Amino acid sequence: MLSAAKDILETESSFRKVVSMWSSGTGGAGIIGAMAYAVLTDPLMLHFTPRIALYCMLIIPLIFAYTPFTSRLQRGLTMYEKLKAVTPLFKYMIPLIIVYFAEYFINQGLLELLEFDCSHGFNIGPQSQYRWYQVLYQVGVFVSRSSSDVIALPGEVLPLLALLQVLNATVLYFEALNRFMSHILLLMCVIVYEGLLGGASYVNTFRVIHEEVGLFEVYEISIDI
């Protein structure tokens, strides 16, 4: 009996590590991808054209093509059981959806409009500014996704993270209209903060789902969704 309990605790601990390591790994991958493209295309660095830079980065999907394909075991839950298991988790999933909507609105809809001249932009050209915005965002994501073992936020805080990210999007929307930030450094700080909020929402949503869902089959379905 004691041995079985010990095995369960060890398994539980390993799942906690998996959530933390997975989140940290995805954050690190974001930094590497964004920084690689910025370095390849920046006029002060390698200065490749975007086309050549993308060709260089195609090595990654080629590596994935050789990754062994593993099929997953089919679990014996019915569709009704799956829906029943997932429905209580909407309170965690909806804030995460809002966070991601606000992030993509910022990163793909607003940041490309926010340019600074060289005297207020660390002598970085307008095109390069957007690339480094993405790097800074990914740095924020990586830091917060790697922090779940140190700072664990309860599920009740997740809607607050969504609200703060929407507030971020609102501030940057009006910045795009009125340009009230005097230097690129201010915008860079906001972008890092945006990444911190997004990463914290991501990792803590997965962590809370893991803690709330008991059965492994249900947990697996919940994480997939």
Side-chain angles (χ1 to χ4, degrees), residues 89-128:
L89 303 178
F90 284 165
K91 58 185 176 183
Y92 305 130
M93 296 161 61
I94 291 175
L96 183 62
I97 291 171
I98 294 173
V99 166
Y100 267 79
F101 179 84
E103 284 184 11
Y104 281 104
F105 178 64
I106 293 171
N107 293 342
Q108 275 66 51
L110 296 177
L111 292 185
E112 60 186 8
L113 304 175
L114 304 179
E115 299 177 354
F116 292 82
D117 57 48
C118 290
S119 62
H120 297 87
F122 295 127
N123 292 320
I124 303 174
Q127 292 183 344
S128 296

Side-chain angles (χ1 to χ4, degrees), residues 17-83:
K17 291 294 183 183
V18 166
V19 171
S20 175
M21 293 173 66
W22 166 262
S23 299
S24 180
T26 55
I31 292 179
I32 293 171
M35 184 169 290
Y37 185 76
V39 169
L40 288 171
T41 56
D42 195 294
L44 300 178
M45 296 185 181
L46 296 181
H47 200 192
F48 291 171
T49 64
R51 180 188 295 270
I52 298 299
L54 291 176
Y55 282 151
C56 292
M57 297 177 73
L58 282 177
I59 186 65
I60 303 301
L62 288 177
I63 293 173
F64 286 165
Y66 287 95
T67 302
F69 178 79
T70 57
S71 60
R72 304 177 62 183
L73 295 176
Q74 296 295 321
R75 305 294 175 180
L77 297 180
T78 66
M79 180 58 67
Y80 172 76
E81 290 172 328
K82 293 177 181 179
L83 291 175

Side-chain angles (χ1 to χ4, degrees), residues 180-222:
F180 51 82
M181 292 187 183
S182 59
H183 197 277
I184 194 173
L185 180 61
L186 298 175
L187 178 59
M188 288 179 169
C189 291
V190 174
I191 292 171
V192 172
Y193 174 59
E194 173 207 352
L196 290 172
L197 288 177
S201 178
Y202 179 94
V203 67
N204 283 285
T205 297
F206 277 79
R207 183 187 55 78
V208 169
I209 289 176
H210 165 66
E211 292 177 351
E212 181 164 317
V213 178
L215 294 176
F216 179 79
E217 291 85 352
V218 178
Y219 169 71
E220 187 177 29
I221 294 168
S222 303

